Each structure stands twice: as structure tokens, then as C-alpha cells.
């Protein structure tokens, strides 16, 4: 192990860590925001509302995120209308495409997680709320959402960790995230073990940080399910 | 529509499937061994198994793949030099790819298998032992057949993620479907068309897998009472 070389590259790893964190936070925030209404649509009894959402999550979950990223980053340039549109400076940037691809991907998985949590709501809770005279929107806001969001936390923590690993794909479209920093160090110093093991250590630390964050969330919001102490 | 690249894409699909199948074989062996280690009486084996599953699941596939590809290259050549070999050995991306994917999904499958084994009532194993079966006999006759049914849902998930992970082998230079789509995209300047075709092929693979594994699940659940 060449610790000196790792020390010299440490600043670029720290910058990579920031890029990874930004990608992850942006993708998760956008994905979750879009997944909320989609989950309600997915659980709707109206077919014209639930079927398209089902198709969306099925296609996204059935294809690799790398393909989705390439479709956005390389694929869009095929269309002249896109190249000449005002949005092209964004659509051609690696940052925009990476965040968009990651957000769409996590949105599909999160939609399914939330839809599952919504469907697991005991029917009696909804009936009780209706019996008390609550309208549809009130039931949604007071009964469905709070309990479904709680129930979704364990599954969502897995999704967030998978997304963290997924952000490593950003290095393929030229972004210098943690993996990008490692690839850059490897090609500069030809020390593959030092480069990729350092990146792996950073990812492992991030994973543990996420896991403990979600443990805190579960302690806070799922306290009623914890074993009695 | 595909400008004559359809045959090339299909050939690449064959390679993608070969990578997936070979990785799955490695992952199953590693997964079973690790599940056994994590359930064994030896504290060392349990700790090693836990470390393997935790570390692998906390590091991105791409990082591990690059580590095995570039690091393995260096390690193999250092070893060859020690043994007095003077040339340069190239690591085959196919071998690096299936080794990495097998290694990664061994960790995921280990958790699936472990959960399935734990879900088999202990009384069944005890009954087998009480009948005078050896430990291996109990494993082959009691534990494994029931484990298959209980592990199938998790296994289905692991397999679907594995298939999608194989897209990464194009990064280390394997001429799989993804890379062929990229070549065709470059030659025809129609990247959207070809990556869309790649997406459709992956979707077809996952759909067929899903249907087949669901049928298998039904087959293995014969005789199990469902509360419905």
C-alpha cells in the first residue's frame, strides 16, 4: 500500500465525496417528490391513472440505470429539435443528465415502495376516518400519508443505499465523483489497489452513515414498533 | 430501422446472457457457502461471512469491477514476474466481469439463502436427526428442498438486479450488448435508437425471467396452503 500516494490524492477524493453527496441528495429529493403523487396514482382504482404509472415503474425497473443514463446523455443529441431547443445547454450537461437519470430511476422504485405502503393501510383506519366525516383529501393528509410514509422507511433505506451505489455511474459520463476521483488517480499513478480501495472505504463510510441515519429515523417515527426495553 | 446492426446486437445479447449465467453460478456457490458460514457454530466463520456480505453490499459494483480488472491485472503480473515470467499478461474482461459480478451477488444471495434457511422450522431438522439421518442427509433431504421455495422470491430479485448489473462489463471492454449498442450508435449517429433497442432487450430478458421464475415458484409451492 502506497499511503503517500493516497494522501496526495485525498483532496480530489474529498471533492469527489461532495459530488457524490450532491448527486445522491438531488436524485433522492427529486425522486421522492415525484414518487408521492405517482404512488397515489398507482394505487388508484381508476385504470387510466394506475396503468401508465405501472408501465413507467415496470420499464424503469426492468432496464439497467446505465442504459437510462446513456439514453439521456448520448441519446438525446440524435434529435435536431432537442439540439436546437433552448434547453440544450442543460440537456447536454453531464450534471443534468446524471441527476435526471438517477432521479427517474429512484422515482420508479420509490413509487412502488410507497404504493405498497399505501396499500398496506388497514381498511378500518380509513373507514373510521370516513365515519368521523373526513373528506378524501383530509383522509389522505391525516391518515394515509403519515402511516404509509412511516411504513415505507425500512424499504426506502435500502433504496437510498442502492442509489448511493448507483451514483458511481456518474463517473462514466465524465463527472468526478468518488469513483471518478479513483479512476483519475488510477490512470495518473497506476496504483489500482490504492485508488479503488480508497474509494471503496469512502463508499462504505457513506453507507454506514446512511444506515445510522435511517436507524435514527426509524427510532423517531417507528418507535411504536420497537421491542419494549 | 437498426441499419443492419440487429444481428450484432443479438450476438451481444448472447454474451450478456453468458456473463449473467456464469456470474450466477459463481454467486450461488459463494452464496451457499457464505450462508452456511454465517449459520455455522464457528465464530470465525460467522465473522468472515458477515464482513463479506456487509462490505460487498456497501461498495458500488462499478468500483469493485474496476478494482478487480485493474488490480487483478497488476496482481497477476506481479505474481507472474515472481515466478520468472517476463511477458505481460492481460486479464480477460470476461473473467474479470464474471468474477466481480459473481463475487458481488454471492453476498446478496448469501442473505437470501440465510433468510430462507432460518425460515425453516428447527423441528424439521431435529426430526431428521432423530430419525438417524446424518447432517449431510438432513441438509440434502430436509433443508435444501424447502429452502428453494422460501428463497425463490428473493432469488428472483437478486437475479433481476444481476442481469442489469451485467451492463457494466461494457465499461471494462467486454463486447457485450451494451458495447455493441454503443458502437452502432457511434457509426450511425443514432444513439437514441440503439440505446432504446438495448433497453428493450434488457426489458425482454427481465420479463421472461420474471414469468419463468414465477412459474417455478408456483411449482415449488405445490402442497403449501395459501391463505386466500
Amino acid at each position: 500500500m502506497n499511503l503517500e500516494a493516497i494522501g496526495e490524492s485525498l483532496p480530489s477524493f474529498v471533492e469527489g465525496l461532495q459530488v457524490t453527496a450532491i448527486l445522491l441528495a438531488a436524485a433522492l429529493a427529486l425522486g421522492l417528490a415525484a414518487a408521492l403523487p405517482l404512488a397515489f396514482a398507482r394505487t388508484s382504482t381508476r385504470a387510466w391513472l394506475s396503468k401508465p404509472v405501472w408501465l413507467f415503474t415496470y420499464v424503469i425497473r426492468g432496464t439497467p440505470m446505465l442504459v437510462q443514463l446513456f439514453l439521456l446523455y448520448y441519446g438525446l443529441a440524435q434529435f435536431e429539435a432537442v439540439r436546437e431547443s433552448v434547453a440544450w445547454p442543460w440537456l447536454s450537461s453531464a450534471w443534468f443528465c446524471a441527476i435526471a437519470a438517477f432521479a427517474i430511476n429512484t422515482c420508479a422504485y420509490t413509487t412502488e415502495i410507497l404504493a405498497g405502503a399505501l396499500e398496506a393501510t388497514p381498511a378500518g383506519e380509513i373507514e373510521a376516518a370516513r365515519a368521523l366525516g373526513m373528506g378524501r383529501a383530509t383522509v389522505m393528509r391525516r391518515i394515509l400519508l403519515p402511516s404509509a410514509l412511516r411504513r415505507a422507511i425500512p424499504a426506502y433505506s435500502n433504496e437510498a443505499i442502492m442509489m448511493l451505489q448507483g451514483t458511481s455511474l456518474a463517473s462514466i459520463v465524465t463527472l468526478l465523483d468518488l469513483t471518478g476521483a479513483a479512476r483519475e488517480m488510477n490512470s495518473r499513478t497506476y496504483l489500482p489497489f490504492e485508488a479503488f480501495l480508497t474509494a471503496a472505504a469512502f463508499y462504505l463510510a457513506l453507507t454506514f452513515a446512511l444506515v445510522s441515519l435511517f436507524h435514527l429515523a426509524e427510532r423517531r417515527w417507528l418507535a411504536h414498533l420497537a421491542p419494549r426495553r | 430501422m437498426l441499419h443492419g446492426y440487429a444481428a450484432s446486437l443479438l450476438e451481444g445479447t448472447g454474451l450478456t446472457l453468458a456473463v449473467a449465467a456464469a456470474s450466477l453460478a459463481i454467486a450461488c456457490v459463494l452464496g451457499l457457502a457464505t450462508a452456511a458460514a454465517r449459520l455455522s457454530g464457528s465464530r470465525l466463520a460467522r465473522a468472515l461471512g458477515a464482513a463479506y456480505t456487509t462490505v460487498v453490499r456497501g461498495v458500488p459494483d462499478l468500483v469493485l469491477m474496476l478494482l478487480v480488472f485493474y488490480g487483478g491485472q497488476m496482481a497477476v503480473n506481479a505474481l507472474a514476474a515472481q515466478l520468472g515470467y517476463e511477458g505481460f499478461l492481460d486479464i480477460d474482461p470476461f473473467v474479470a466481469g464474471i468474477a466481480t459480478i459473481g463475487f458481488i451477488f454471492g453476498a446478496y444471495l448469501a442473505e437470501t439463502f440465510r433468510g430462507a434457511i432460518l425460515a425453516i422450522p428447527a423441528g424439521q431438522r431435529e426430526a431428521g436427526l432423530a430419525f438417524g439421518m446424518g447432517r449431510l442427509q438432513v441438509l440434502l433431504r430436509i433443508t435444501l428442498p424447502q429452502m428453494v421455495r422460501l428463497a425463490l422470491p428473493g432469488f428472483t430479485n437478486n437475479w433481476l438486479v444481476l442481469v442489469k448489473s451485467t451492463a457494466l462489463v461494457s465499461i471494462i471492454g467486454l463486447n457485450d450488448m451494451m458495447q455493441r449498442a454503443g458502437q452502432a450508435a457511434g457509426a450511425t449517429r443514432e444513439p437514441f435508437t440503439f440505446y432504446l433497442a438495448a433497453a428493450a432487450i434488457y426489458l425482454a430478458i427481465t420479463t421472461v425471467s420474471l414469468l419463468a421464475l414465477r412459474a417455478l415458484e408456483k411449482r415449488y409451492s405445490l402442497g403449501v396452503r395459501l391463505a386466500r
Side-chain angles (χ1 to χ4, degrees):
Chain A
M1 269 296 154
N2 187 341
L3 289 177
E4 209 171 304
I6 295 179
E8 272 167 25
S9 297
L10 217 49
S12 66
F13 276 105
V14 172
E15 270 170 46
L17 178 69
Q18 286 167 2
V19 173
T20 295
I22 293 171
L23 286 170
L24 179 67
L28 286 182
L30 292 170
L32 183 62
L36 268 176
L38 285 179
F40 277 107
R42 173 88 172 81
T43 52
S44 163
T45 46
R46 271 162 286 190
W48 59 269
L49 214 55
S50 65
K51 281 278 149 41
V53 180
W54 170 82
L55 188 67
F56 163 71
T57 64
Y58 186 75
V59 169
I60 297 293
R61 295 189 307 151
T63 51
M65 192 158 76
L66 185 66
V67 180
Q68 294 156 14
L69 179 61
F70 280 9
L71 268 174
L72 281 178
Y73 186 64
Y74 297 116
L76 286 181
Q78 179 175 333
F79 307 105
E80 208 176 312
V82 177
R83 264 180 288 144
E84 276 161 19
S85 77
V86 279
W88 182 237
W90 285 300
L91 293 177
S92 61
S93 98
W95 268 102
F96 180 89
C97 288
I99 290 179
F102 298 164
I104 291 171
N105 190 276
T106 183
C107 172
Y109 285 93
T110 310
T111 300
E112 286 300 315
I113 292 171
L114 287 177
L118 280 173
E119 275 182 342
T121 310
E125 286 185 17
I126 301 168
E127 284 164 13
R130 312 282 311 211
L132 286 173
M134 292 187 202
R136 240 169 216 289
T138 320
V139 171
M140 208 178 266
R141 186 164 49 83
R142 285 199 194 152
I143 313 291
L144 279 172
L145 258 185
S147 75
L149 284 178
R150 277 160 210 253
R151 252 194 307 274
I153 293 174
Y156 187 67
S157 75
N158 274 335
E159 168 54 22
I161 290 164
M162 292 304 271
M163 199 61 229
L164 166 65
Q165 326 254 329
T167 58
S168 65
L169 296 187
S171 68
I172 298 170
V173 292
T174 71
L175 289 180
L176 279 177
D177 69 333
L178 274 174
T179 311
R183 294 176 83 172
E184 194 263 339
M185 176 182 170
N186 177 44
S187 57
R188 190 162 40 80
T189 62
Y190 201 53
L191 293 169
F193 284 107
E194 284 80 351
F196 294 116
L197 286 178
T198 308
F202 271 99
Y203 278 111
L204 215 49
L206 272 177
T207 305
F208 284 133
L210 271 183
V211 167
S212 38
L213 211 67
F214 276 103
H215 266 300
L216 280 181
E218 279 182 38
R219 277 243 299 267
R220 168 88 176 73
W221 286 298
L222 291 173
H224 58 291
L225 296 180
R228 213 178 276 177
R229 267 179 293 184
Chain B
M1 195 172 71
L2 293 175
H3 305 286
Y5 281 97
S8 167
L9 276 186
L10 280 184
E11 235 175 87
T13 308
L15 188 58
T16 292
L17 287 174
V19 170
S23 316
L24 181 71
I26 298 174
C28 278
V29 173
L30 271 177
L32 275 177
T34 311
R38 291 204 64 180
L39 293 169
S40 81
S42 150
R43 187 175 281 180
L44 179 71
R46 280 205 306 268
L48 279 178
Y52 165 54
T53 53
T54 313
V55 168
V56 167
R57 294 187 304 159
V59 177
D61 322 9
L62 181 60
V63 173
L64 285 174
M65 199 171 285
L66 294 171
L67 178 69
V68 170
F69 185 60
Y70 290 111
Q73 184 108 341
M74 186 165 261
V76 164
N77 279 298
L79 191 69
Q82 289 259 313
L83 296 175
Y85 181 77
E86 304 211 331
F88 186 79
L89 290 171
D90 256 328
I91 276 210
D92 185 38
F94 184 80
V95 174
I98 62 168
T100 321
I101 298 179
F103 181 70
I104 293 167
F105 285 90
Y108 286 94
L109 278 176
E111 292 299 284
T112 302
F113 291 153
R114 189 174 72 104
I117 291 172
L118 283 176
I120 301 171
Q124 305 229 358
R125 201 166 42 93
E126 284 162 12
L129 290 173
F131 267 111
M133 292 187 193
R135 288 171 57 139
L136 188 69
Q137 262 181 322
V138 169
L139 180 73
L140 291 180
R141 288 196 190 166
I142 315 268
T143 311
L144 281 182
Q146 299 196 72
M147 191 199 82
V148 173
R149 175 176 68 85
L150 294 166
L152 263 174
F155 180 86
T156 305
N157 267 336
N158 294 146
W159 163 250
L160 294 178
V161 181
L162 186 153
V163 168
K164 289 182 277 169
S165 284
T166 59
L168 288 180
V169 294
S170 59
I171 307 296
I172 56 172
L174 199 60
N175 206 4
D176 73 329
M177 189 239 295
M178 210 39 206
Q179 201 177 63
R180 282 163 194 262
Q183 287 159 355
T188 59
R189 299 202 173 181
E190 290 188 9
F192 197 86
T193 315
F194 283 99
Y195 288 126
L196 200 62
I201 295 175
Y202 278 112
L203 197 60
I205 297 175
T206 46
T207 302
V208 170
S209 313
L210 209 57
L211 293 176
L213 285 162
R214 234 180 240 165
L216 202 64
E217 217 175 302
K218 241 185 183 165
R219 174 84 186 73
Y220 269 97
S221 301
L222 283 179
V224 177
R225 195 170 40 167
L226 293 176
R228 238 169 216 276

